[in-house]
């Protein structure tokens, strides 16, 4: 589907209809749409600063009345638009942010599927258009720590999303135990479990709806003697996705899932290089893909993004 980017350059920065078109354009995800969205957001930000300066200036002169205030406000809006078109630097930052959001959305939206794994569905992420709901979002980004310091932080000191913190708290001990066996950092394994299970929201289930506790999408091959869960998954054949029904291993607990994953990686010769490069997130993620863990051609990039962005920061 081809999206056209509306021309918003001639509209006032706070044009209500323009904001609606702006959000729709951002959802299109094209570079032109993102640039337009960022420019309009820059105009809104500039207008907020100008309004703050106006409010701080005494306005009780002879020429100050409702009409002059209205025209001054309109003038400020148009000046904001013109300044944004010239650029003060914020639009470029926002363009990079929105572009990264689109990439991250793809990484978080697709669970990826494997030669040895996976469930194919993940929860829908926040899209780029959601970032344009209010300019206040720029002034209070989620990466800012709360004043009371009560929210959990990731590796770089940024506030974790609630679903990330919950997932890590729930499975952290099991990941640490598997880390002692494999030498792979616990957060690397948590990142892969998140990718495979959609942060626990799209876990493979039995026909009766009960949990399989399979966090890593490991399939039940001929040598598997344990319980089995059947699920629909997506495999990539020559880069083309194909929907299939596959049998997956089932466990009694999440701890057992981590133990089996650790056993798989530590005893299968094809993962020797993965274990050897486990000190680096990108090397680990792309090493798994090269070793044949996944058929998704973008699996390594998705996993690396989740580990570094959500868990390590």
């Amino acid at each position: 589907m081809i999206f056209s980017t509306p021309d918003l350059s001639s509209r006032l920065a706070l044009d209500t209809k323009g904001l609606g078109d702006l959000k729709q354009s951002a959802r299109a995800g094209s570079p032109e749409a993102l640039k337009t969205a960022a420019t309009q957001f820059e105009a809104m930000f500039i207008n907020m600063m100008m309004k703050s300066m106006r409010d701080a200036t005494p306005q009780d002169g002879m020429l100050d009345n409702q009409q002059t205030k209205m025209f001054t406000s309109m003038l400020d809006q148009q000046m904001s638009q013109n300044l944004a078109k010239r650029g003060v630097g914020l639009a470029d930052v926002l363009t990079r942010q929105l572009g990264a959001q689109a990439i991250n959305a793809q990484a978080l939206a697709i669970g990826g599927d494997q030669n040895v794994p996976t469930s194919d569905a993940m929860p829908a992420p926040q899209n780029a258009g959601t970032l344009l709901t209010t300019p206040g979002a720029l002034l209070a980004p989620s990466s800012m720590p709360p004043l009371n310091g009560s929210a959990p932080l990731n590796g770089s000191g940024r506030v974790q999303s609630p679903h990330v913190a919950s997932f890590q708290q729930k499975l952290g001990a099991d990941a640490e135990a598997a880390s002692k066996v494999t030498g792979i950092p616990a957060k690397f394994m948590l990142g892969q479990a998140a990718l495979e299970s959609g942060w626990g929201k799209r876990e493979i289930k039995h026909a009766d709806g009960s949990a399989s506790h399979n966090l890593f999408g490991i399939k039940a091959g001929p040598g598997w003697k344990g319980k089995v869960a059947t699920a629909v998954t997506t495999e990539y054949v020559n880069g083309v996705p194909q929907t299939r029904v596959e049998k997956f291993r089932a466990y009694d607990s999440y701890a057992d899932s981590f133990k089996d994953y650790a056993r798989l990686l530590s005893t299968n010769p094809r993962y020797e290089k993965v274990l050897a490069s486990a000190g680096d997130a990108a090397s680990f993620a792309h090493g798994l893909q090269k070793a044949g863990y996944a058929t998704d051609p973008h699996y390594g990039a998705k996993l690396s993004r989740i580990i570094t962005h959500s868990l390590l920061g």
Side-chain angles (χ1 to χ4, degrees):
M1 181 180 296
I2 299 176
F3 294 90
S4 60
T5 304
D7 183 7
L8 303 178
S9 60
S10 61
R11 300 187 185 179
L12 291 177
L14 301 183
D15 184 333
T16 303
K17 186 177 185 302
L19 276 180
D21 291 340
L22 177 60
K23 293 171 68 176
Q24 183 62 37
S25 297
R27 292 188 180 99
S30 69
E32 295 80 16
L34 294 181
K35 179 62 176 178
T36 301
T39 301
Q40 283 296 96
F41 225 90
E42 183 175 56
M44 296 171 66
F45 188 74
I46 294 173
N47 184 262
M48 290 174 61
M49 292 192 297
M50 295 181 70
K51 185 178 184 302
S52 297
M53 289 187 289
R54 295 284 188 189
D55 292 341
T57 304
Q59 300 180 15
D60 54 355
M62 295 179 58
L63 300 179
D64 291 315
N65 53 51
Q66 291 298 323
Q67 286 74 23
T68 59
K69 290 179 180 180
M70 180 185 69
F71 285 112
T72 299
S73 176
M74 294 176 64
L75 177 61
D76 287 348
Q77 291 182 35
Q78 197 59 58
M79 289 178 62
S80 300
Q81 191 78 26
N82 293 337
L83 286 172
K85 288 169 65 177
R86 297 177 184 176
V88 296
L90 181 59
D92 293 333
V93 174
L94 286 173
T95 299
R96 292 193 296 270
Q97 178 186 355
L98 290 170
Q101 178 75 10
I103 295 173
N104 189 42
Q106 183 188 31
L108 297 178
I110 305 174
D113 19 79
Q114 290 84 321
N115 290 329
V116 190
T118 182
S119 161
D120 62 331
M122 291 194 64
Q126 182 184 45
N127 58 47
T130 307
L131 295 176
L132 302 174
T133 301
T134 167
L138 285 176
L139 304 179
S142 60
S143 60
M144 293 178 62
L147 294 178
N148 58 14
S150 60
L153 307 177
N154 62 17
S156 65
R158 295 180 180 178
V159 177
Q160 284 185 329
S161 298
H163 71 281
V164 175
S166 175
F167 190 80
Q168 187 168 341
Q169 182 178 14
K170 178 181 179 180
L171 302 172
D174 296 332
E176 291 290 349
S179 177
K180 294 179 181 179
V181 175
T182 62
I184 299 172
K187 288 187 177 181
F188 290 14
M189 290 183 282
L190 285 171
Q192 190 172 7
L195 176 59
E196 292 291 341
S197 70
W199 295 100
K201 302 299 183 182
R202 300 298 178 90
E203 179 189 330
I204 298 170
K205 296 184 180 297
H206 292 285
D208 61 0
S210 59
S212 72
H213 297 102
N214 188 330
L215 292 170
F216 297 94
I218 302 177
K219 290 181 181 177
W224 176 249
K225 304 302 180 183
K227 294 185 291 185
V228 172
T230 302
V232 177
T233 186
T234 302
E235 297 289 350
Y236 286 78
V237 180
N238 296 322
V240 179
Q242 297 182 2
T243 301
R244 296 180 180 179
V245 177
E246 301 282 359
K247 292 183 178 180
F248 296 85
R249 299 181 184 185
Y251 310 97
D252 293 327
S253 67
Y254 294 119
D256 288 342
S257 180
F258 272 95
K259 289 177 183 177
D260 191 42
Y261 171 79
R263 183 164 49 248
L264 173 68
L265 264 64
S266 59
T267 60
N268 193 321
R270 72 181 186 179
Y271 296 116
E272 289 181 356
K273 292 184 179 180
V274 177
L275 298 179
S277 61
D280 176 73
S283 297
F284 168 74
H286 290 284
L288 280 173
Q289 181 178 330
K290 291 179 181 179
Y293 194 98
T295 59
D296 181 352
H298 303 293
Y299 189 85
K302 294 174 184 177
L303 177 54
S304 178
R305 180 67 179 173
I306 287 176
I307 293 172
T308 58
H309 181 77
S310 298
L311 295 171
L312 300 180

